[in-house]
Amino acid sequence: MVIAMIEAGESKVKEGLYYTKDHEWAQIMEDGTVLVGISDYAQKELGDLAYVELPEVGKEVSKGDVLCEVESVKAVSEVYAPVSGEVIEVNEELEDAPEKINEDPYDAWIAKIKPKNLEEELEDLMTAEKYAEYLESL
């Protein structure tokens, strides 16, 4: 299966995902859970990632809450929850290899959330096309 990417300036935007203005992406899985990561634009802005502080499994988050932090050679940046719910899994590979986000930000998810109000909250997120337009406006 070929995953289409949209070029937005220097960044790639993966189709089929939802995006926030803070540059997180959300992928709706078949079981209704949501994978969360940061976009190509975000990882480029941050530079080489040195550390990912993963959220705790079981943590309840509201949309817009700080989910975790990522640390690069340039800065520490907060990653916000694109949806409300419970963190049910984290990508432990990132503890030893945060650079995976730089290598492929759309494959290196950070957390999996069991959402509470997915239908409602999706309305506030951008499609890949809208996010690409948003990036072009920055």
Side-chain angles (χ1 to χ4, degrees):
M1 182 173 136
V2 176
I3 301 298
M5 294 283 186
I6 300 170
E7 298 285 330
E10 301 277 313
S11 302
K12 292 185 179 359
V13 177
K14 184 175 178 181
E15 291 190 4
L17 304 179
Y18 292 90
Y19 296 86
T20 70
K21 287 188 173 179
D22 294 312
H23 311 291
E24 291 86 16
W25 57 260
Q27 180 179 0
I28 315 307
M29 305 304 288
E30 284 182 16
D31 64 1
T33 59
V34 177
L35 286 183
V36 178
I38 63 171
S39 71
D40 186 42
Y41 176 86
Q43 70 84 16
K44 282 183 172 145
E45 286 291 300
L46 287 165
D48 293 337
L49 290 177
Y51 180 70
V52 177
E53 181 192 333
L54 295 169
E56 283 185 38
V57 171
K59 177 180 181 175
E60 290 285 334
V61 291
S62 293
K63 180 180 177 175
D65 282 359
V66 173
L67 180 64
C68 67
E69 289 184 345
V70 291
E71 193 173 315
S72 72
V73 292
K74 292 184 187 176
V76 175
S77 185
E78 295 175 331
V79 176
Y80 301 98
V83 296
S84 301
E86 178 187 353
V87 175
I88 58 169
E89 192 178 336
V90 294
N91 187 351
E92 293 179 3
E93 285 183 357
L94 298 179
E95 286 183 331
D96 295 326
E99 68 277 2
K100 285 181 180 280
I101 292 175
N102 295 116
E103 292 163 7
D104 187 351
Y106 299 115
D107 189 46
W109 58 278
I110 294 171
K112 185 186 282 190
I113 296 176
K114 183 178 179 184
K116 286 186 177 163
N117 308 314
L118 188 57
E119 294 296 317
E120 277 177 38
E121 293 182 342
L122 281 184
E123 293 174 14
D124 296 332
L125 300 175
M126 292 179 272
T127 62
E129 293 78 14
K130 292 276 187 220
Y131 181 64
E133 287 173 20
Y134 173 69
L135 290 180
E136 295 283 357
S137 75
L138 297 179

